[in-house]
Coordinates of all heavy atoms in Angstrom, one line a residue:
S248 N 17.4 148.4 44.6 CA 18.2 148.1 43.5 C 18.6 149.4 42.7 O 19.7 149.3 42.0 CB 17.5 147.2 42.5 OG 17.2 145.9 43.0
F249 N 17.9 150.4 42.9 CA 18.2 151.7 42.2 C 19.1 152.6 43.1 O 19.5 153.7 42.6 CB 16.9 152.5 41.9 CG 15.9 151.6 41.1 CD1 14.7 151.3 41.6 CD2 16.2 151.2 39.8 CE1 13.8 150.5 40.9 CE2 15.4 150.5 39.1 CZ 14.1 150.1 39.6
I250 N 19.5 152.1 44.2 CA 20.5 152.8 45.0 C 21.9 152.5 44.6 O 22.3 151.3 44.7 CB 20.3 152.6 46.5 CG1 18.9 152.9 47.0 CG2 21.3 153.3 47.4 CD1 18.6 152.6 48.4
M251 N 22.6 153.5 44.1 CA 24.0 153.3 43.7 C 24.9 153.5 44.8 O 24.8 154.5 45.6 CB 24.3 154.2 42.5 CG 23.4 154.0 41.3 SD 23.6 152.4 40.5 CE 22.0 151.6 40.8
H252 N 26.0 152.8 44.9 CA 27.0 152.9 45.9 C 28.4 153.2 45.3 O 28.8 152.5 44.4 CB 27.1 151.6 46.7 CG 28.3 151.6 47.7 ND1 29.1 150.6 47.9 CD2 28.7 152.6 48.5 CE1 30.0 150.8 48.8 NE2 29.8 152.0 49.2
E253 N 29.0 154.3 45.7 CA 30.3 154.7 45.2 C 31.3 155.1 46.2 O 30.9 155.6 47.3 CB 30.1 155.9 44.2 CG 29.4 155.6 42.9 CD 29.5 156.6 41.8 OE1 30.6 157.1 41.7 OE2 28.5 157.0 41.3
T254 N 32.5 154.7 46.0 CA 33.6 155.1 46.9 C 34.7 155.9 46.1 O 35.2 155.3 45.1 CB 34.2 153.9 47.5 OG1 33.3 153.2 48.3 CG2 35.4 154.3 48.5
T255 N 35.0 157.1 46.4 CA 35.8 157.9 45.7 C 37.0 158.5 46.4 O 36.8 159.1 47.6 CB 35.0 159.1 45.1 OG1 33.9 158.6 44.4 CG2 35.9 160.0 44.2
P256 N 38.2 158.3 46.1 CA 39.4 159.0 46.7 C 39.2 160.5 46.6 O 38.7 161.0 45.5 CB 40.6 158.5 45.9 CG 40.1 157.3 45.2 CD 38.7 157.5 44.9
V257 N 39.5 161.2 47.6 CA 39.1 162.7 47.6 C 40.3 163.6 47.5 O 40.1 164.8 47.1 CB 38.3 163.1 48.8 CG1 37.0 162.2 48.9 CG2 39.1 162.9 50.1
Y258 N 41.5 163.1 47.8 CA 42.6 164.0 47.8 C 43.0 164.4 46.3 O 43.2 163.5 45.5 CB 43.9 163.4 48.5 CG 44.9 164.5 49.0 CD1 44.7 165.1 50.2 CD2 46.0 164.9 48.2 CE1 45.6 166.1 50.7 CE2 46.8 165.8 48.7 CZ 46.7 166.4 49.9 OH 47.5 167.3 50.3
P259 N 43.2 165.7 46.0 CA 43.6 166.1 44.7 C 44.9 165.5 44.2 O 45.8 165.3 45.1 CB 43.7 167.6 44.8 CG 43.0 168.0 46.0 CD 43.1 166.9 46.9
D260 N 45.1 165.3 43.0 CA 46.4 164.7 42.4 C 47.3 165.9 42.3 O 47.2 166.7 41.3 CB 46.1 164.1 41.1 CG 47.3 163.4 40.5 OD1 48.4 163.6 41.1 OD2 47.2 162.7 39.4
T261 N 48.2 166.1 43.2 CA 49.1 167.3 43.2 C 50.2 167.1 42.1 O 50.9 168.1 41.8 CB 49.7 167.5 44.6 OG1 50.4 166.3 44.9 CG2 48.7 167.8 45.6
L262 N 50.4 165.9 41.7 CA 51.4 165.7 40.6 C 51.0 166.2 39.2 O 51.8 166.0 38.3 CB 51.8 164.2 40.6 CG 52.5 163.7 41.9 CD1 52.6 162.2 41.8 CD2 53.9 164.3 41.9
V263 N 49.8 166.6 39.1 CA 49.4 167.1 37.8 C 50.2 168.2 37.2 O 50.4 168.4 36.0 CB 47.9 167.5 37.7 CG1 47.0 166.4 38.0 CG2 47.7 168.6 38.8
W264 N 50.8 169.0 38.1 CA 51.6 170.1 37.7 C 52.9 169.7 37.0 O 53.4 170.3 36.1 CB 52.0 171.0 38.9 CG 50.8 171.8 39.5 CD1 50.2 171.5 40.6 CD2 50.2 172.9 38.9 NE1 49.1 172.4 40.9 CE2 49.1 173.2 39.8 CE3 50.4 173.7 37.8 CZ2 48.3 174.4 39.6 CZ3 49.6 174.8 37.5 CH2 48.5 175.1 38.4
I265 N 53.4 168.5 37.3 CA 54.5 167.9 36.6 C 54.1 167.0 35.5 O 54.7 167.1 34.4 CB 55.4 167.1 37.6 CG1 55.9 168.1 38.8 CG2 56.5 166.4 36.9 CD1 56.7 167.4 39.9
R266 N 53.0 166.2 35.7 CA 52.6 165.3 34.7 C 52.1 166.0 33.4 O 52.4 165.6 32.3 CB 51.5 164.4 35.2 CG 51.0 163.3 34.2 CD 49.9 162.5 34.9 NE 50.3 161.9 36.1 CZ 49.8 162.2 37.3 NH1 48.9 163.1 37.4 NH2 50.2 161.6 38.4
D267 N 51.5 167.1 33.6 CA 50.9 167.9 32.4 C 52.0 168.6 31.6 O 51.8 168.9 30.4 CB 49.9 168.9 32.9 CG 48.6 168.3 33.4 OD1 48.4 167.0 33.2 OD2 47.8 168.9 34.1
Y268 N 53.1 168.9 32.2 CA 54.2 169.6 31.6 C 55.5 169.0 31.8 O 56.2 169.4 32.8 CB 54.1 171.1 32.1 CG 52.8 171.7 31.9 CD1 51.9 171.8 33.0 CD2 52.3 172.2 30.7 CE1 50.6 172.3 32.8 CE2 51.1 172.7 30.5 CZ 50.2 172.8 31.5 OH 49.0 173.3 31.4
T269 N 55.9 168.1 31.1 CA 57.1 167.3 31.2 C 58.3 168.1 31.3 O 59.2 167.9 32.2 CB 57.2 166.2 30.1 OG1 56.0 165.4 30.1 CG2 58.4 165.3 30.4
F270 N 58.5 169.1 30.5 CA 59.7 169.9 30.4 C 59.5 171.3 31.0 O 59.9 172.3 30.4 CB 60.1 170.0 28.9 CG 60.4 168.6 28.3 CD1 59.6 168.1 27.4 CD2 61.6 168.0 28.7 CE1 59.8 166.8 26.9 CE2 61.9 166.7 28.1 CZ 61.0 166.2 27.2
S271 N 58.8 171.3 32.1 CA 58.6 172.5 32.9 C 59.0 172.3 34.4 O 58.9 171.2 34.9 CB 57.2 173.0 32.9 OG 56.8 173.3 31.5
Y272 N 59.5 173.3 35.0 CA 59.8 173.2 36.5 C 58.6 173.6 37.3 O 58.4 174.8 37.5 CB 61.0 174.1 36.8 CG 61.3 174.0 38.3 CD1 61.9 172.8 38.9 CD2 61.2 175.1 39.1 CE1 62.2 172.7 40.2 CE2 61.5 175.0 40.5 CZ 62.0 173.8 41.0 OH 62.3 173.7 42.4
N273 N 57.8 172.7 37.7 CA 56.6 173.0 38.5 C 56.6 172.2 39.9 O 55.5 172.2 40.5 CB 55.4 172.5 37.7 CG 55.1 173.4 36.6 OD1 55.4 174.7 36.6 ND2 54.5 172.9 35.5
E274 N 57.8 171.8 40.3 CA 57.8 171.2 41.7 C 57.3 172.1 42.7 O 56.6 171.5 43.7 CB 59.3 170.8 41.9 CG 59.7 169.5 41.3 CD 60.0 169.5 39.8 OE1 59.8 170.6 39.2 OE2 60.4 168.6 39.2
P275 N 57.5 173.4 42.8 CA 56.9 174.2 43.9 C 55.4 174.1 43.9 O 54.9 174.1 45.0 CB 57.4 175.6 43.5 CG 58.7 175.4 42.8 CD 58.4 174.1 41.9

């Protein structure tokens, strides 16, 4: 009962460069 089971997506969120800075050109 003390064994915890987790499933986690591993690929980084590459869209953070655009999401964090709406009015910046970070597409590259």
Side-chain angles (χ1 to χ4, degrees):
S248 297
F249 304 115
I250 300 176
M251 301 292 115
H252 173 222
E253 292 193 45
T254 301
T255 304
V257 300
Y258 202 85
D260 185 354
T261 57
L262 291 171
V263 292
W264 291 104
I265 297 175
R266 184 181 302 112
D267 290 347
Y268 306 97
T269 304
F270 299 106
S271 297
Y272 178 67
N273 288 330
E274 277 77 354

